[in-house]
Amino acid sequence: MPDSPPDPATPAAPMQDFFRQMLDEVGAFVYATDRQGRYIYANQLVLDLLSVPQLPDLLGKRFDELVPLDAASLQAMHDTDRLVIEQGQTLAREETHPERSTGALHTYWSIKKPLRGAAGQIIGLIGISHDITEKKRLEDQIRQQNILLDAVLNNVDSLVYMKSSDRRFLYANQHMARAMGQPIERIVGQRDTDLLPRQQADDFWRIDQQILASGQRQTQEVALPDAGGQMRHYWSVIVPCPAPDGSPALVGVSTDITELHQLKETLRHQAEHDSLTGLINRRRFWAQAERELALSQRHGLPLALLTLDIDHFKLINDTHGHMVGDQVLRAVAAACRQALRGTDLCARIGGEEFSILLPATALDGARTMAERIRQELTALQLDEHAPGLRASASLGLACAGEHTPLFDMLFSRADQALYAAKRAGRNRVMAWDDLENSGP
């Protein structure tokens, strides 16, 4: 809590009630214990979690008296609390506890710091925990993919603030002050437009007005530059809450999820790209190709599709090994990227097969591009991977017409042309139009 209340004229007891109410609404589990781990304060979320009707029923009890813990979990909790109480450390770490009413395991991200008396001595600890059970689902997904196994949140900072209906900050905690690069006394009493860029302040204010009008809490992800100008991402919970004088106000709690945001972006990239070649994968290619086909038909523009298959790739794997085969796939992908324009789209469809989409390209231009790619693949120098190794590819080509409503149809035509190129001796380009014009 700040060193001085926003309104010095407000009586102490109502102000205390106000802050208790605020802590009940922040969407986090907030509590304090003495040096022996006995509760001296808990907000309503903690009472609900422990199935305790009222705060007086909880005071003086320990967590392990209410929730059964195995020996390892109990020892881990005691070790953590001892570091806080005896060494004065502030710790942020993950904890797993069973829910008292159901026994279901929940995972929490907990921050514990020393609670000090008037003389500065440590008299207990203060804790704030967020239920991250759902977020752990994402971590499990990452773990299953064996990607970023050690990339977990090392710290979760909660920015707690209160704003009045005239956009003034009535309260800000130390985390908020550090994030904004301002001492608390320079935040309280100021409008959001005095502390944030105008456009950003106005965007937040539009959300604030919706919450004030509806009276409903809102959760969302927001991005804010920190004091050093680096963009940080927060999971923000904003709830309407009367100010001490009874006027409309908002309480916000924002938890730093920058690392989680980056992990989500990494997962999104992995879900859309082939890990070996770096090209987009079949799913991403298909979605973009369908959009490009719709655009080409709407605007009357040509569109061509190439399918490419490395010749005798199984023989390369069998003769030189899969590591060399992987090097060949990378080399082919790099050669394709080098040959294409910025608007073209190249993907590894599967195995040794690639697809290339050429927007605004008619048959003659696509045939020229396909032949250029074929020649560049034939000229690839692969001796560094295996002496005497050479690569070639067969390519199928199809162009979208007025009656090509589905990308599946265009792909099927290019695929048929590809197999015709293979039947004709490989290392060549065949177009769907060639098959149509060749007759039965």
Side-chain angles (χ1 to χ4, degrees):
M1 296 183 181
D3 296 334
S4 58
D7 182 2
T10 303
M15 179 61 78
Q16 292 174 358
D17 293 340
F18 159 69
F19 279 114
R20 288 195 188 96
Q21 182 183 3
M22 185 182 72
L23 291 173
D24 283 340
E25 296 288 346
V26 296
F29 300 89
V30 183
Y31 61 91
T33 69
D34 61 16
R35 293 179 63 91
Q36 287 72 44
R38 297 185 295 251
Y39 284 103
I40 58 176
Y41 171 74
N43 71 351
Q44 189 60 47
L45 280 180
V46 176
L47 297 179
D48 294 341
L49 178 68
L50 298 177
S51 301
V52 176
Q54 298 180 17
L55 180 58
D57 299 322
L58 180 64
L59 299 181
K61 292 184 174 62
R62 297 192 310 271
F63 182 78
D64 57 292
E65 293 176 342
L66 300 167
V67 178
L69 299 175
D70 58 50
S73 299
L74 181 60
Q75 187 61 48
M77 185 180 71
H78 286 168
D79 290 344
T80 299
D81 293 353
R82 191 157 42 245
L83 289 174
V84 176
I85 294 171
E86 295 180 2
Q87 299 185 21
Q89 296 187 28
T90 296
L91 300 178
R93 59 183 53 181
E94 197 176 283
E95 297 178 337
T96 301
H97 299 304
E99 193 177 58
R100 187 185 185 192
S101 58
T102 65
L105 286 179
H106 281 245
T107 304
Y108 304 89
W109 186 259
S110 297
I111 300 174
K112 295 180 179 180
K113 64 186 303 181
L115 174 63
R116 298 183 182 273
Q121 78 281 19
I122 298 176
I123 61 174
L125 66 79
I126 301 172
I128 177 168
S129 300
H130 297 267
D131 192 328
I132 59 167
T133 305
E134 186 61 24
K135 290 189 176 103
K136 285 295 294 180
R137 184 183 61 81
L138 176 60
E139 293 180 16
D140 291 339
Q141 181 182 354
I142 297 169
R143 191 174 297 107
Q144 292 167 5
Q145 297 182 25
N146 294 319
I147 302 296
L148 303 175
L149 294 177
D150 61 346
V152 294
L153 295 176
N154 294 318
N155 194 13
V156 175
D157 293 331
S158 296
L159 314 183
V160 183
Y161 64 90
M162 184 176 194
K163 283 172 66 177
S164 65
S165 57
D166 63 354
R167 306 178 69 164
R168 294 186 186 276
F169 284 94
L170 303 179
Y171 169 77
N173 69 351
Q174 288 290 348
H175 287 308
M176 182 77 171
R178 282 195 293 270
M180 301 188 76
Q182 298 281 354
I184 290 176
E185 56 270 20
R186 292 188 182 178
I187 296 176
V188 174
Q190 297 294 313
R191 295 179 183 270
D192 52 15
T193 50
D194 299 326
L195 300 167
L196 299 171
R198 183 71 195 213
Q199 183 61 52
Q200 194 171 59
D202 288 344
D203 289 343
F204 287 148
W205 180 238
R206 280 191 287 273
I207 297 172
D208 292 346
Q209 287 179 306
Q210 294 173 6
I211 298 172
L212 288 169
S214 67
Q216 300 295 316
R217 63 183 287 166
Q218 185 164 324
T219 59
Q220 62 178 346
E221 184 175 333
V222 299
L224 285 170
D226 61 18
Q230 296 296 314
M231 192 61 67
R232 308 291 298 179
H233 294 264
Y234 298 90
W235 184 252
S236 182
V237 179
I238 307 173
V239 296
C241 181
D245 62 2
S247 61
L250 300 167
V251 171
V253 178
S254 297
T255 302
D256 193 325
I257 58 167
T258 302
E259 290 82 1
L260 180 59
H261 177 84
Q262 292 168 347
L263 291 178
K264 289 167 62 178
E265 291 302 311
T266 299
L267 279 177
R268 183 177 295 112
H269 183 273
Q270 292 168 350
E272 296 177 345
H273 289 76
D274 172 50
S275 61
L276 179 64
T277 64
L279 298 175
I280 61 174
N281 59 20
R282 181 188 183 97
R283 184 173 67 87
R284 168 77 179 276
F285 177 80
W286 215 269
Q288 289 192 231
E290 288 178 335
R291 288 194 292 269
E292 288 291 342
L293 177 60
L295 284 173
S296 71
Q297 293 185 333
R298 185 180 306 130
H299 300 291
L301 297 173
L303 179 72
L305 175 68
L306 302 179
T307 57
L308 178 155
D309 191 273
I310 302 173
D311 294 332
H312 304 296
F313 185 72
K314 183 178 185 300
L315 181 61
I316 294 175
N317 273 335
D318 292 345
T319 304
H320 302 284
H322 288 280
M323 289 186 64
V324 172
D326 288 349
Q327 295 291 348
V328 171
L329 289 170
R330 292 191 188 98
V332 169
C336 290
R337 273 194 296 257
Q338 186 69 25
L340 298 177
R341 306 163 298 182
T343 55
D344 300 331
L345 198 63
C346 184
R348 182 185 177 196
I349 297 301
E352 65 271 25
E353 188 174 351
F354 299 78
S355 285
I356 300 169
L357 194 70
L358 303 173
T361 304
L363 178 61
D364 289 344
R367 197 188 296 271
T368 300
M369 175 67 77
E371 185 61 31
R372 181 191 311 162
I373 292 173
R374 187 195 66 79
Q375 293 176 7
E376 291 192 7
L377 296 184
T378 304
L380 282 176
Q381 297 298 316
L382 301 170
D383 289 331
E384 60 181 298
H385 308 306
L389 178 61
R390 292 292 180 268
S392 68
S394 303
L395 293 95
L397 165 63
C399 293
E402 294 181 2
H403 304 294
T404 312
L406 299 175
F407 179 71
D408 299 56
M409 182 184 298
L410 181 62
F411 185 86
S412 176
R413 290 174 177 177
D415 207 39
Q416 291 178 56
L418 167 65
Y419 280 95
K422 284 183 168 294
R423 288 192 299 270
R426 294 184 169 84
N427 192 22
R428 66 192 63 223
V429 177
M430 293 286 286
W432 166 258
D433 295 57
D434 300 333
L435 305 183
E436 278 197 318
N437 296 330
S438 65

